Amino acid sequence: MLALKVVIEGLGLGFLLWLVCAAGIRNGAVGMVHLYGQDVQDRVVALGLTTAEAIRRRGIAFRSLCLPGYIIYVLTCVYAFNGAHGFFAGFWQMFAVLSIMNLIDRLLIDDYWVGRTDAWIIPGTEDLRPYITVQDKKQKWVMGTVGMAAVSALLAGVMCLFVG
């Protein structure tokens, strides 16, 4: 039963990420250009669609919303809802939730939504597609997996001090 809860929590976090992305592109993909490579960002600025400062501000706002949001979400799910105690129980649950979100991000958002639909195309940058290259995908898989493990271990360690 706990495993099912953790899967549902991971799907919920993936859905929240999707909502943030959908809100970010509601007026066009330029709203999320901070997630694109530098070549695309430079082209968008050259085309006059936005400024480098606006891209920087949106990137900061995105990270400021998502990172604390992910942390609050997983801590609430794992410790408040699931009642985890100890390092291992907290670690595996957080790692599972974050890994499911990572799968959703890599497969449904990056590969399908960005890579195979028109929703993320920025007019004037079509020649720079794919926006997420094979090398980007490899790096995101490795960093996502390692990053989720590191964050889960850190948070589980900190929570051991408070919850036991």
Side-chain angles (χ1 to χ4, degrees):
M1 190 62 169
L2 179 59
L4 179 60
K5 283 177 69 175
V6 169
V7 168
I8 291 169
E9 292 161 354
L11 293 172
L13 186 56
F15 180 70
L16 290 174
L17 175 62
W18 178 84
L19 282 176
V20 169
C21 290
I25 66 166
R26 71 188 176 284
N27 294 321
V30 172
M32 295 293 275
V33 74
H34 60 275
L35 297 176
Y36 292 64
Q38 192 61 48
D39 56 341
V40 177
Q41 292 179 26
D42 292 343
R43 175 78 60 84
V44 168
V45 170
L47 291 170
L49 300 174
T50 192
T51 65
E53 178 60 22
I55 294 170
R56 187 186 71 75
R57 281 193 323 269
R58 284 190 183 125
I60 290 169
F62 182 80
R63 287 185 300 277
S64 298
L65 171 71
C66 288
L67 294 178
Y70 293 165
I71 291 169
I72 291 166
Y73 182 93
V74 296
L75 289 176
T76 301
C77 289
V78 170
Y79 291 96
F81 298 155
N82 300 351
H85 292 283
F87 179 83
F88 185 73
F91 172 79
W92 85 259
Q93 289 181 51
M94 286 188 284
F95 185 61
V97 169
L98 291 170
S99 294
I100 292 167
M101 186 269 312
N102 191 39
L103 280 170
I104 291 168
D105 190 13
R106 299 289 79 77
L107 298 175
L108 296 178
I109 295 174
D110 287 351
D111 193 50
Y112 178 73
W113 197 17
V114 175
R116 298 173 192 208
T117 72
D118 294 341
W120 290 79
I121 293 175
I122 300 172
T125 67
E126 295 88 350
D127 62 310
L128 300 175
R129 290 184 82 194
Y131 295 126
I132 303 170
T133 65
V134 171
Q135 183 61 33
D136 293 336
K137 288 178 184 180
K138 287 178 186 177
Q139 184 178 1
K140 285 181 167 198
W141 275 110
V142 170
M143 294 307 294
T145 303
V146 172
M148 299 308 171
V151 167
S152 299
L154 178 68
L155 292 174
V158 169
M159 291 306 289
C160 278
L161 300 173
F162 297 107
V163 179

